[in-house]
């Protein structure tokens, strides 16, 4: 586990706020932490730490009263349940695009390549010329998966077998080509994970307003 003493207090507070909001929502959604759950959690902590005495020592060392400790555990269990609900709500399928790109280091070169596409050059041939290994294939991805929003927006605006204007990003100049689109394609595990992290972050952003944070203020 993390040694809280070594973590800046802002991060600890931030995590506490997140956990509290999640735990509150768990209760609102009808999830109640009963004694069986609590005892089961305590038992698993004892196993992790090496016995009931070790757990008692840990509680004492961290200045918890046994009542505070149980409250903290209940909050953690409720928060974990709510987090699971939010993550599980992300669908298994999504609207996805299959894209190739030509990535070029300069605007001048990008303009040249764009001009040759306009005079009828084959996109895949050019993509393979500039990326012999993968042919510029970015594979399938849903909205919210790429770090670069400009690429995502351009990709989802294309019709199949259509190429984009030159798009500038931090890594260079891109021309995209939409191979195909499927509005209900199964998400790859890594893409679904990214969308789950996004969903959790969006949930937090929505719920973190002052009215709900008064619980933490003295």
């Amino acid at each position: 586990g993390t040694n809280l003493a070594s973590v800046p207090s802002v991060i600890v507070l931030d995590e506490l706020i997140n956990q509290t909001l999640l735990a509150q929502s768990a209760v609102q959604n009808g999830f109640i932490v009963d004694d069986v759950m609590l005892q089961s959690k305590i038992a698993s902590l004892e196993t992790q730490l090496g016995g009931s005495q070790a757990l008692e020592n840990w509680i004492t060392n961290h200045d918890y009263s046994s009542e505070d400790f149980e409250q903290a555990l209940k909050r953690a269990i409720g928060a974990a349940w709510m987090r699971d609900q939010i993550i599980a709500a992300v669908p298994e399928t999504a609207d996805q695009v299959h894209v190739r790109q030509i990535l070029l280091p300069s605007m001048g070169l990008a303009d040249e390549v764009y001009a040759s596409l306009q005079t009828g050059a084959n996109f895949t041939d050019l993509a393979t010329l500039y990326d012999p290994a993968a042919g510029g294939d970015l594979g399938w991805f849903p909205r919210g998966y790429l770090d670069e929003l400009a690429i995502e927006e351009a990709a989802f605006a294309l019709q199949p077998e259509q190429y984009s204007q030159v798009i500038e990003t931090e890594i260079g100049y891109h021309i995209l080509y939409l191979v195909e689109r499927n509005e209900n394609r199964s998400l790859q595990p890594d893409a679904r994970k990214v969308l789950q992290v996004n969903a959790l972050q969006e949930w937090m952003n929505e719920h973190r307003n002052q009215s709900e944070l008064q619980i933490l203020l003295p």
Side-chain angles (χ1 to χ4, degrees), residues 161-215:
E161 298 182 21
Q162 186 183 39
Y163 57 86
S164 71
Q165 303 279 335
V166 177
I167 304 149
E168 183 181 356
T169 72
E170 281 183 7
I171 62 168
Y173 299 84
H174 311 247
I175 305 168
L176 307 181
Y177 176 85
L178 182 62
V179 181
E180 51 191 325
R181 181 168 179 172
N182 182 338
E183 290 182 7
N184 200 25
R185 184 181 167 86
S186 290
L187 285 163
Q188 291 294 325
D190 67 323
R192 188 158 188 260
K193 196 164 216 152
V194 169
L195 297 194
Q196 287 174 332
V197 170
N198 292 352
L200 201 53
Q201 196 55 56
E202 278 167 30
W203 189 95
M204 288 301 176
N205 294 344
E206 277 171 33
H207 286 76
R208 290 185 68 147
N209 60 44
Q210 285 314 112
S211 65
E212 284 171 309
L213 298 185
Q214 284 169 353
I215 38 162

Side-chain angles (χ1 to χ4, degrees), residues 102 112-123 126 163-164 175:
I102 301 171
E112 273 178 45
V113 171
Y114 187 77
S116 60
L117 285 168
Q118 292 205 290
T119 56
N122 179 283
F123 192 97
L126 281 172
Y163 57 86
S164 71
I175 305 168

